[in-house]
Amino acid sequence: MNIKKIKPRQLKKGDRAAIVSLSSGMLGEDFCSHNIEIGTKRLREYGIEPVFMENSLKGIGYLASNPQARAQDLKDAFSDDSISAVICAIGGDDTYRLMPYLMEDKEFLRNVRNNPKIFTGFSDTTINHLMFSKLGMVSYYGPAFITDLGEISDEMLPYTKTAFEGFFKGKEITKITSSDVWYETRTDFSPAAIGTERTAHKEEHGFEAVQGRGSFTGELFGGCLESLYDIINPSRYEDEPRVCEKYSLLGSPDDLRGKILFLETCEERPEPEKFAMELTALKQKGMFEHINGIIAGKPEDEVYYEEYKQIFTQVIDDPDLPVLYNLNFGHSSPRCVIPYGIQTKVDMDNKSVEFLEPLFVK
Protein backbone atom coordinates (compact mmCIF):
# COMPACT_ATOMS: atom_id res chain seq x y z
CA MET A 1 0.00 0.00 0.00
CA ASN A 2 2.08 2.90 -1.29
CA ILE A 3 0.14 5.96 -0.19
CA LYS A 4 1.91 9.24 0.45
CA LYS A 5 2.01 10.00 4.17
CA ILE A 6 0.20 13.21 5.10
CA LYS A 7 0.85 14.90 8.44
CA PRO A 8 -1.04 17.76 10.11
CA ARG A 9 0.68 20.69 11.75
CA GLN A 10 0.94 21.17 15.50
CA LEU A 11 -1.40 23.37 17.47
CA LYS A 12 -0.74 26.92 18.56
CA LYS A 13 -2.66 29.46 20.62
CA GLY A 14 -5.61 30.85 18.75
CA ASP A 15 -6.41 27.60 16.94
CA ARG A 16 -9.88 26.03 16.93
CA ALA A 17 -10.66 22.40 17.68
CA ALA A 18 -13.79 20.61 16.49
CA ILE A 19 -15.50 18.35 19.03
CA VAL A 20 -17.29 15.48 17.33
CA SER A 21 -19.50 12.58 18.48
CA LEU A 22 -18.68 9.95 15.87
CA SER A 23 -20.00 7.03 17.89
CA SER A 24 -21.87 7.41 21.17
CA GLY A 25 -23.93 10.58 21.51
CA MET A 26 -23.51 10.77 25.28
CA LEU A 27 -21.79 14.16 25.11
CA GLY A 28 -25.22 15.66 24.41
CA GLU A 29 -26.86 14.17 27.49
CA ASP A 30 -27.40 16.17 30.67
CA PHE A 31 -25.17 13.83 32.65
CA CYS A 32 -22.18 15.04 30.59
CA SER A 33 -22.84 18.78 30.90
CA HIS A 34 -20.16 19.17 33.57
CA ASN A 35 -17.62 17.38 31.34
CA ILE A 36 -18.37 19.92 28.62
CA GLU A 37 -17.79 22.79 31.03
CA ILE A 38 -14.53 21.33 32.36
CA GLY A 39 -13.18 20.34 28.95
CA THR A 40 -14.05 23.71 27.43
CA LYS A 41 -12.26 25.51 30.25
CA ARG A 42 -9.13 23.40 29.82
CA LEU A 43 -8.96 23.89 26.07
CA ARG A 44 -9.35 27.63 26.47
CA GLU A 45 -6.54 27.64 29.03
CA TYR A 46 -4.36 26.28 26.23
CA GLY A 47 -5.57 29.05 23.95
CA ILE A 48 -7.71 26.62 21.91
CA GLU A 49 -11.32 27.44 21.15
CA PRO A 50 -13.58 24.35 21.10
CA VAL A 51 -16.18 24.17 18.34
CA PHE A 52 -18.97 21.72 19.13
CA MET A 53 -20.07 20.57 15.72
CA GLU A 54 -23.73 20.87 14.78
CA ASN A 55 -24.78 17.31 15.64
CA SER A 56 -22.29 16.55 18.41
CA LEU A 57 -24.69 17.47 21.24
CA LYS A 58 -27.90 15.91 19.91
CA GLY A 59 -27.77 12.99 22.30
CA ILE A 60 -27.58 9.22 22.29
CA GLY A 61 -30.91 8.45 20.63
CA TYR A 62 -30.60 10.85 17.72
CA LEU A 63 -27.02 9.97 16.85
CA ALA A 64 -27.66 6.24 17.16
CA SER A 65 -30.39 6.60 14.53
CA ASN A 66 -28.52 9.05 12.32
CA PRO A 67 -24.98 7.96 11.44
CA GLN A 68 -25.08 10.36 8.51
CA ALA A 69 -25.31 13.25 11.02
CA ARG A 70 -22.22 12.02 12.83
CA ALA A 71 -20.39 11.73 9.53
CA GLN A 72 -21.51 15.21 8.48
CA ASP A 73 -19.82 16.75 11.51
CA LEU A 74 -16.50 15.19 10.53
CA LYS A 75 -16.94 16.32 6.93
CA ASP A 76 -17.76 19.85 8.07
CA ALA A 77 -14.71 19.94 10.33
CA PHE A 78 -12.40 18.96 7.47
CA SER A 79 -13.98 21.50 5.11
CA ASP A 80 -13.40 24.34 7.61
CA ASP A 81 -9.94 25.86 7.20
CA SER A 82 -10.23 27.57 10.59
CA ILE A 83 -10.26 24.22 12.42
CA SER A 84 -6.87 22.68 13.19
CA ALA A 85 -7.81 19.63 15.26
CA VAL A 86 -10.66 17.18 15.66
CA ILE A 87 -11.22 15.71 19.13
CA CYS A 88 -13.59 12.79 19.53
CA ALA A 89 -16.05 12.99 22.41
CA ILE A 90 -15.68 9.31 23.30
CA GLY A 91 -15.81 5.89 21.63
CA GLY A 92 -18.73 3.51 21.26
CA ASP A 93 -19.46 0.48 19.14
CA ASP A 94 -20.93 1.31 15.72
CA THR A 95 -18.55 3.83 14.17
CA TYR A 96 -18.37 1.65 11.05
CA ARG A 97 -21.81 2.97 10.05
CA LEU A 98 -20.17 6.28 9.09
CA MET A 99 -17.97 4.73 6.41
CA PRO A 100 -20.33 4.97 3.40
CA TYR A 101 -21.00 8.65 4.11
CA LEU A 102 -17.28 9.41 4.37
CA MET A 103 -15.47 7.07 2.00
CA GLU A 104 -17.85 7.81 -0.87
CA ASP A 105 -17.71 11.59 -0.48
CA LYS A 106 -15.06 12.84 -2.90
CA GLU A 107 -14.96 16.28 -1.34
CA PHE A 108 -14.24 14.82 2.11
CA LEU A 109 -11.48 12.59 0.72
CA ARG A 110 -9.96 15.58 -1.05
CA ASN A 111 -10.13 17.70 2.13
CA VAL A 112 -8.36 15.00 4.17
CA ARG A 113 -5.52 14.86 1.69
CA ASN A 114 -5.23 18.61 1.15
CA ASN A 115 -6.08 19.90 4.61
CA PRO A 116 -4.98 17.34 7.23
CA LYS A 117 -5.85 18.00 10.87
CA ILE A 118 -4.90 16.52 14.19
CA PHE A 119 -7.41 13.75 14.89
CA THR A 120 -7.44 12.15 18.34
CA GLY A 121 -9.57 9.57 20.12
CA PHE A 122 -9.50 5.89 21.06
CA SER A 123 -11.71 2.81 21.53
CA ASP A 124 -14.10 2.29 18.57
CA THR A 125 -12.64 5.46 17.09
CA THR A 126 -10.21 2.80 15.83
CA ILE A 127 -12.49 2.61 12.78
CA ASN A 128 -11.94 6.28 11.96
CA HIS A 129 -8.20 5.91 12.48
CA LEU A 130 -8.11 2.96 10.07
CA MET A 131 -9.98 5.11 7.56
CA PHE A 132 -7.48 7.95 7.87
CA SER A 133 -4.62 5.47 7.61
CA LYS A 134 -6.18 4.16 4.40
CA LEU A 135 -6.23 7.73 3.10
CA GLY A 136 -2.61 8.33 4.11
CA MET A 137 -3.21 10.82 6.93
CA VAL A 138 -1.35 10.41 10.21
CA SER A 139 -3.81 10.37 13.12
CA TYR A 140 -3.35 9.90 16.85
CA TYR A 141 -4.75 7.13 19.04
CA GLY A 142 -4.96 9.28 22.13
CA PRO A 143 -6.99 11.47 24.48
CA ALA A 144 -10.72 12.06 23.99
CA PHE A 145 -12.85 14.95 25.17
CA ILE A 146 -15.05 13.38 27.87
CA THR A 147 -12.47 10.99 29.31
CA ASP A 148 -9.46 13.28 29.31
CA LEU A 149 -10.12 16.97 28.74
CA GLY A 150 -13.34 16.53 30.73
CA GLU A 151 -11.63 14.47 33.47
CA ILE A 152 -13.36 15.58 36.69
CA SER A 153 -10.26 15.66 38.88
CA ASP A 154 -8.99 19.16 39.51
CA GLU A 155 -6.38 18.62 36.79
CA MET A 156 -5.96 16.33 33.83
CA LEU A 157 -3.99 13.23 34.79
CA PRO A 158 -0.35 14.44 34.54
CA TYR A 159 0.89 11.74 32.15
CA THR A 160 -2.13 12.24 29.87
CA LYS A 161 -1.72 16.00 30.10
CA THR A 162 1.88 15.74 28.88
CA ALA A 163 0.73 13.51 26.02
CA PHE A 164 -1.97 16.00 25.01
CA GLU A 165 0.49 18.89 25.18
CA GLY A 166 2.57 17.02 22.63
CA PHE A 167 0.06 18.25 20.04
CA PHE A 168 1.37 21.78 20.58
CA LYS A 169 4.20 23.42 18.73
CA GLY A 170 7.49 23.09 20.60
CA LYS A 171 6.30 20.18 22.77
CA GLU A 172 6.36 17.26 20.37
CA ILE A 173 6.95 13.91 22.04
CA THR A 174 9.74 11.75 20.63
CA LYS A 175 9.26 8.57 22.66
CA ILE A 176 6.81 6.66 24.85
CA THR A 177 7.78 6.06 28.45
CA SER A 178 6.01 4.14 31.19
CA SER A 179 3.84 6.11 33.59
CA ASP A 180 5.00 5.93 37.22
CA VAL A 181 1.40 5.36 38.33
CA TRP A 182 -1.84 3.94 37.00
CA TYR A 183 -5.38 4.87 38.01
CA GLU A 184 -8.45 2.83 38.75
CA THR A 185 -11.51 3.43 36.62
CA ARG A 186 -13.98 5.77 38.27
CA THR A 187 -17.30 4.44 39.52
CA ASP A 188 -18.81 7.90 40.06
CA PHE A 189 -18.73 10.29 37.11
CA SER A 190 -21.45 12.60 38.44
CA PRO A 191 -21.16 16.31 39.27
CA ALA A 192 -20.95 15.29 42.93
CA ALA A 193 -17.56 13.71 42.16
CA ILE A 194 -16.03 16.85 40.62
CA GLY A 195 -12.70 17.57 42.29
CA THR A 196 -12.24 14.06 43.66
CA GLU A 197 -8.97 12.41 42.77
CA ARG A 198 -8.63 9.07 41.03
CA THR A 199 -7.40 6.11 43.08
CA ALA A 200 -3.74 5.77 42.06
CA HIS A 201 -1.34 2.84 42.24
CA LYS A 202 2.42 2.74 41.83
CA GLU A 203 3.38 1.09 38.56
CA GLU A 204 5.06 -2.16 39.55
CA HIS A 205 5.74 -3.64 36.11
CA GLY A 206 6.74 -0.97 33.61
CA PHE A 207 6.99 -2.13 30.02
CA GLU A 208 7.35 -5.92 29.90
CA ALA A 209 8.97 -8.01 27.20
CA VAL A 210 6.55 -10.93 26.86
CA GLN A 211 8.69 -12.52 24.15
CA GLY A 212 11.45 -11.51 21.77
CA ARG A 213 14.79 -9.74 22.14
CA GLY A 214 16.77 -7.06 20.38
CA SER A 215 14.97 -4.26 18.56
CA PHE A 216 12.59 -3.86 15.67
CA THR A 217 11.19 -0.97 13.65
CA GLY A 218 8.08 -0.26 11.63
CA GLU A 219 5.13 2.04 11.11
CA LEU A 220 2.44 1.90 13.79
CA PHE A 221 -0.94 0.38 12.97
CA GLY A 222 -3.70 -1.08 15.17
CA GLY A 223 -6.18 -0.03 17.84
CA CYS A 224 -8.75 -1.54 20.15
CA LEU A 225 -8.77 -5.34 19.91
CA GLU A 226 -12.56 -5.56 20.22
CA SER A 227 -13.04 -3.06 17.39
CA LEU A 228 -10.63 -4.98 15.18
CA TYR A 229 -12.39 -8.24 16.04
CA ASP A 230 -15.77 -6.76 15.10
CA ILE A 231 -14.37 -5.86 11.68
CA ILE A 232 -13.66 -9.55 11.17
CA ASN A 233 -16.54 -11.19 13.04
CA PRO A 234 -20.27 -10.39 12.54
CA SER A 235 -21.36 -11.34 16.06
CA ARG A 236 -21.94 -7.73 17.19
CA TYR A 237 -23.16 -6.23 13.91
CA GLU A 238 -23.92 -8.59 11.05
CA ASP A 239 -23.04 -6.09 8.33
CA GLU A 240 -19.87 -4.64 9.88
CA PRO A 241 -17.36 -7.05 8.28
CA ARG A 242 -18.97 -6.51 4.89
CA VAL A 243 -18.91 -2.71 5.21
CA CYS A 244 -15.32 -2.61 6.43
CA GLU A 245 -14.20 -5.05 3.74
CA LYS A 246 -15.81 -2.86 1.07
CA TYR A 247 -13.53 0.02 2.07
CA SER A 248 -10.58 -2.28 2.84
CA LEU A 249 -10.03 -0.77 6.27
CA LEU A 250 -7.77 -3.60 7.43
CA GLY A 251 -6.22 -4.17 4.04
CA SER A 252 -4.51 -7.48 3.32
CA PRO A 253 -1.91 -9.25 5.46
CA ASP A 254 0.72 -8.06 3.00
CA ASP A 255 -0.32 -4.45 3.64
CA LEU A 256 0.88 -5.00 7.23
CA ARG A 257 4.31 -6.13 6.11
CA GLY A 258 7.00 -4.49 8.25
CA LYS A 259 4.53 -2.71 10.52
CA ILE A 260 4.26 -2.63 14.30
CA LEU A 261 0.81 -3.73 15.44
CA PHE A 262 -0.52 -2.02 18.58
CA LEU A 263 -3.39 -3.64 20.49
CA GLU A 264 -5.35 -2.89 23.65
CA THR A 265 -8.57 -4.12 25.25
CA CYS A 266 -11.72 -2.15 25.95
CA GLU A 267 -13.75 -1.38 29.07
CA GLU A 268 -15.58 -4.69 28.64
CA ARG A 269 -12.46 -6.33 30.08
CA PRO A 270 -12.77 -9.50 28.03
CA GLU A 271 -12.39 -12.73 29.95
CA PRO A 272 -9.30 -14.74 28.98
CA GLU A 273 -11.31 -17.09 26.78
CA LYS A 274 -12.74 -14.19 24.81
CA PHE A 275 -9.37 -12.46 24.63
CA ALA A 276 -7.88 -15.62 23.18
CA MET A 277 -10.75 -15.91 20.70
CA GLU A 278 -10.26 -12.31 19.52
CA LEU A 279 -6.50 -12.70 19.13
CA THR A 280 -7.03 -15.97 17.28
CA ALA A 281 -9.38 -14.23 14.85
CA LEU A 282 -6.66 -11.69 14.04
CA LYS A 283 -4.14 -14.51 13.60
CA GLN A 284 -6.47 -16.39 11.25
CA LYS A 285 -6.92 -13.18 9.28
CA GLY A 286 -3.16 -13.20 8.73
CA MET A 287 -2.48 -10.06 10.75
CA PHE A 288 0.57 -11.56 12.50
CA GLU A 289 2.20 -13.02 9.39
CA HIS A 290 4.27 -10.10 8.15
CA ILE A 291 4.44 -7.63 11.05
CA ASN A 292 7.74 -6.88 12.81
CA GLY A 293 6.31 -6.91 16.32
CA ILE A 294 3.47 -6.02 18.69
CA ILE A 295 3.09 -3.42 21.42
CA ALA A 296 0.23 -4.15 23.81
CA GLY A 297 -1.64 -1.81 26.12
CA LYS A 298 -2.06 -2.12 29.85
CA PRO A 299 -5.35 -3.87 30.68
CA GLU A 300 -7.86 -1.57 32.36
CA ASP A 301 -7.40 -1.78 36.15
CA GLU A 302 -4.84 -4.57 35.48
CA VAL A 303 -7.73 -7.05 35.13
CA TYR A 304 -6.42 -10.36 33.68
CA TYR A 305 -2.94 -8.83 33.54
CA GLU A 306 -1.00 -12.11 33.78
CA GLU A 307 -3.54 -14.14 31.83
CA TYR A 308 -3.31 -11.85 28.81
CA LYS A 309 0.47 -12.17 28.77
CA GLN A 310 0.25 -15.95 28.60
CA ILE A 311 -2.42 -15.83 25.90
CA PHE A 312 -0.25 -13.66 23.67
CA THR A 313 2.46 -16.32 23.61
CA GLN A 314 0.00 -19.20 23.24
CA VAL A 315 -2.04 -17.72 20.41
CA ILE A 316 0.84 -16.16 18.45
CA ASP A 317 2.78 -19.41 18.77
CA ASP A 318 5.89 -17.81 17.32
CA PRO A 319 8.58 -16.92 19.89
CA ASP A 320 10.44 -14.88 17.29
CA LEU A 321 7.63 -12.31 17.04
CA PRO A 322 8.41 -9.67 19.72
CA VAL A 323 5.65 -8.52 22.08
CA LEU A 324 6.19 -5.53 24.38
CA TYR A 325 3.41 -5.35 26.96
CA ASN A 326 1.86 -2.94 29.48
CA LEU A 327 2.09 0.33 27.58
CA ASN A 328 -0.13 3.20 28.73
CA PHE A 329 -2.54 3.70 25.86
CA GLY A 330 -6.18 3.14 25.04
CA HIS A 331 -8.53 2.26 27.88
CA SER A 332 -5.90 2.27 30.61
CA SER A 333 -5.45 5.41 32.68
CA PRO A 334 -3.39 7.47 32.13
CA ARG A 335 -2.89 7.28 28.37
CA CYS A 336 -0.29 8.35 25.86
CA VAL A 337 -0.60 9.06 22.14
CA ILE A 338 0.09 6.36 19.56
CA PRO A 339 0.60 7.98 16.11
CA TYR A 340 -0.63 5.90 13.19
CA GLY A 341 1.85 5.48 10.37
CA ILE A 342 4.88 6.87 12.20
CA GLN A 343 8.13 4.95 11.85
CA THR A 344 9.02 3.71 15.33
CA LYS A 345 11.79 1.72 17.02
CA VAL A 346 11.03 -0.70 19.83
CA ASP A 347 13.99 -1.92 21.89
CA MET A 348 12.98 -5.09 23.74
CA ASP A 349 16.13 -5.25 25.86
CA ASN A 350 15.90 -1.66 27.09
CA LYS A 351 12.08 -1.68 26.95
CA SER A 352 11.96 1.60 25.07
CA VAL A 353 9.77 2.98 22.29
CA GLU A 354 11.16 5.81 20.16
CA PHE A 355 9.69 7.65 17.19
CA LEU A 356 12.09 7.78 14.26
CA GLU A 357 10.41 10.62 12.41
CA PRO A 358 8.48 13.79 13.31
CA LEU A 359 4.85 13.28 14.25
CA PHE A 360 3.80 16.48 12.49
CA VAL A 361 4.68 18.43 9.38
CA LYS A 362 7.46 20.93 9.94
Side-chain angles (χ1 to χ4, degrees):
M1 191 185 299
N2 296 316
I3 298 175
K4 182 181 178 183
K5 191 182 302 182
I6 311 160
K7 299 177 183 178
R9 67 166 178 83
Q10 285 179 283
L11 295 176
K12 64 182 188 308
K13 285 187 176 182
D15 281 342
R16 293 172 11 121
I19 314 300
V20 295
S21 296
L22 301 183
S23 190
S24 169
M26 64 184 291
L27 187 66
E29 301 296 334
D30 288 343
F31 59 77
C32 276
S33 60
H34 56 299
N35 299 105
I36 292 176
E37 183 178 345
I38 292 168
T40 295
K41 179 175 181 290
R42 288 187 179 139
L43 279 175
R44 286 176 174 162
E45 286 171 350
Y46 282 115
I48 304 299
E49 184 60 28
V51 180
F52 292 90
M53 301 306 288
E54 181 179 357
N55 299 296
S56 63
L57 301 178
K58 289 187 176 178
I60 293 172
Y62 179 83
L63 292 183
S65 300
N66 292 278
Q68 74 279 8
R70 294 182 255 160
Q72 190 62 49
D73 281 352
L74 188 61
K75 291 193 281 190
D76 289 346
F78 270 85
S79 69
D80 187 339
D81 290 341
S82 75
I83 288 175
S84 302
V86 179
I87 303 173
C88 291
I90 199 166
D93 67 4
D94 72 341
T95 315
Y96 80 95
R97 296 172 65 202
L98 279 60
M99 289 305 103
Y101 305 103
L102 298 171
M103 294 296 281
E104 297 183 25
D105 187 315
K106 292 181 180 179
E107 181 182 359
F108 171 70
L109 302 183
R110 187 166 52 250
N111 286 336
V112 170
R113 295 186 179 107
N114 295 336
N115 191 19
K117 304 174 190 293
I118 289 172
F119 179 87
T120 180
F122 66 100
S123 194
D124 204 48
T125 303
T126 294
I127 302 296
N128 303 111
H129 286 294
L130 296 178
M131 176 194 71
F132 285 123
S133 178
K134 179 77 177 175
L135 298 177
M137 191 189 88
V138 171
S139 62
Y140 309 90
Y141 196 80
F145 187 85
I146 294 174
T147 53
D148 300 292
L149 288 158
E151 161 62 50
I152 59 178
S153 299
D154 285 337
E155 301 287 341
M156 286 177 67
L157 302 181
Y159 180 92
T160 305
K161 182 178 181 181
T162 298
F164 180 75
E165 289 175 350
F167 290 136
F168 287 81
K169 191 170 184 179
K171 295 189 176 183
E172 181 173 346
I173 291 173
T174 59
K175 60 184 178 180
I176 301 173
T177 58
S178 177
S179 174
D180 294 332
V181 297
W182 62 272
Y183 302 89
E184 292 183 16
T185 304
R186 284 188 181 275
T187 57
D188 185 359
F189 298 88
S190 72
I194 293 175
T196 60
E197 296 302 313
R198 302 277 289 271
T199 300
H201 298 268
K202 184 178 184 297
E203 176 56 65
E204 301 288 350
H205 306 288
F207 296 169
E208 285 200 64
V210 173
Q211 60 179 41
R213 299 195 61 185
S215 63
F216 60 94
T217 62
E219 293 183 354
L220 292 163
F221 182 90
C224 177
L225 177 59
E226 285 67 44
S227 296
L228 295 172
Y229 176 75
D230 289 343
I231 291 175
I232 299 168
N233 187 284
S235 57
R236 192 186 299 262
Y237 292 107
E238 184 179 356
D239 64 333
E240 182 169 1
R242 183 173 66 253
V243 170
C244 293
E245 177 67 24
K246 179 178 180 179
Y247 303 109
S248 192
L249 291 190
L250 280 183
S252 70
D254 198 59
D255 291 330
L256 294 178
R257 187 177 298 276
K259 286 184 165 49
I260 296 172
L261 183 64
F262 65 91
L263 299 170
E264 58 99 12
T265 50
C266 73
E267 76 285 352
E268 294 172 0
R269 303 173 181 183
E271 294 181 351
E273 295 78 11
K274 185 175 183 182
F275 181 74
M277 179 183 69
E278 292 170 342
L279 270 187
T280 299
L282 267 59
K283 181 180 180 179
Q284 292 173 342
K285 185 72 172 176
M287 292 185 68
F288 302 155
E289 289 179 5
H290 304 306
I291 60 173
N292 287 351
I294 293 173
I295 57 175
K298 185 182 194 70
E300 188 178 77
D301 289 355
E302 291 196 343
V303 173
Y304 302 125
Y305 184 93
E306 294 296 334
E307 290 89 338
Y308 287 177
K309 279 170 48 179
Q310 295 175 11
I311 291 168
F312 268 115
T313 61
Q314 292 167 359
V315 171
I316 291 171
D317 193 26
D318 178 3
D320 293 329
L321 182 65
V323 179
L324 190 66
Y325 183 68
N326 199 40
L327 278 73
N328 307 98
F329 68 89
H331 289 80
S332 65
S333 292
R335 59 185 57 90
C336 69
V337 168
I338 304 285
Y340 276 75
I342 293 297
Q343 190 73 215
T344 300
K345 178 181 178 181
V346 178
D347 187 324
M348 299 295 290
D349 300 327
N350 294 312
K351 300 180 179 64
S352 64
V353 180
E354 177 186 4
F355 303 131
L356 299 180
E357 61 174 304
L359 274 60
F360 307 92
V361 69
K362 294 299 183 183

